[in-house]
Amino acid sequence: MNTFNELDELLRLERYRSSLIRFETLGTIETREAAYPVKAIVIGSDDRSLPTLGFFGGVHGLEKVGSQILLAFFHSFFYQLTWDRDLVKSLDGYRIVSIPIINPGGMARSTRCNPCNVDLMRNAPVEADPEHTLPLISGHRVSPQLPWYRGEAGKGLEKEAQILVDFVKREMFEAQMALSLDVHSGFGVRDQIWYPYAKTKAEFPRKAAALKLKALLDTTFPHHIYKYECQSDNYITSGDLWDYLFDGHHEQEKDRVFLPLTLELGSWNWIRKNPVQFFSKAGLFHPMKHHRHSRIMRRHLILLNFLLRAVRNHSAWLEA
Ligand SMILES: [Zn+2]
């Protein structure tokens, strides 16, 4: 197997032996050069009705920093499970599920799309409001040679997208409360947390829950760095997998909350501070200087830990 750093890191995580951590290979992505596993991690109880937090990354292969943040988080979390009995005990009450590298073929090749040139975040059977769409970026079926290609009409989901959808349905849909964070990079100057929809400016049915979480974050960490808003305040897209999953869940589980969030790291700022990055393909999506990279690894740990506690204690703020 041809490998790459993030996949190596993910495979290294399997060295942590604990009855609380389970690894699973959900599928294999074949490219001309090699085959790559899509790996999942499930932490905590087998009881899928418990509140569940999902961490996802690497949907867009170029945006490696999202996977790196999750992998750094898991290394730290798994190590803490070897000595922190309170943390071990807390896992009686919630679960964490993750696919840290959804698009390993794209990551190996440093492309946004998967090895079939499909943008996985435009691939779902979800059509955006036509009056607000932008040419190409909102998703298109013009040509796989252009970015944001949705895939052939009627062909169904790409393998990676299907793996994600099946995993989220299996691991998150039965939960009494579910929250996911999908980490991306490359848009804007600030780190942004987005709640759905991507497809429309119409109101998201769980807007109240999304805003309660925002209030909790704002009050708990008044100096946090995130801009928190609806995804459609930024741009509208067709084919968003989280819109698709949310709608599927909402139809089926009217009484339960599933809140799929996106963390979009504001990489334009990294470019402003280090303009040389503009000339590097990887640099558009990554902080290249070492000190900046360490800071980015560190600065999101507060958010990830906050989300753990918010999910575990959801009744304290969601029903308040
Ligand atoms: Zn992305």
Side-chain angles (χ1 to χ4, degrees), residues 59-61 63 112 119 121-122 182-186 235 262 264 285:
V59 167
H60 294 133
E63 299 167 11
R112 176 184 169 92
D119 185 330
M121 251 330 134
R122 305 287 186 276
D182 179 21
V183 190
H184 289 250
S185 62
Y235 54 85
T262 297
E264 186 74 45
F285 304 92

